[in-house]
Amino acid sequence: MMRLLLQLGAVGFSMAALLDPLWMSGLGRPIAWQRDVLLAVGGILCFYALIRFRDLL
């Protein structure tokens, strides 16, 4: 179960960090870079946890 949550978090956070600036620029809104950086860091941390604890999951 934890492996599934980490995989969903890694993919979800990474995709959100990549697609959010495109959506915001398409809507004519300013891009919130702090939010995008935090989403990218969350995705990287989920990937790290998946790799670090792959034997336990």
Side-chain angles (χ1 to χ4, degrees):
M1 182 68 177
M2 189 59 153
R3 182 182 191 117
L4 177 66
L5 289 175
L6 284 173
Q7 287 174 344
L8 290 174
V11 171
F13 286 142
S14 299
M15 289 289 100
L18 291 173
L19 294 176
D20 186 58
L22 295 174
W23 289 328
M24 289 297 132
S25 64
L27 295 174
R29 292 182 174 174
I31 298 171
W33 291 109
Q34 292 105 354
R35 181 180 60 201
D36 293 332
V37 168
L38 288 175
L39 286 169
V41 167
I44 290 169
L45 287 175
C46 286
F47 276 126
Y48 173 76
L50 276 171
I51 292 168
R52 173 74 171 88
F53 300 110
R54 66 179 167 243
D55 294 333
L56 298 174
L57 296 175

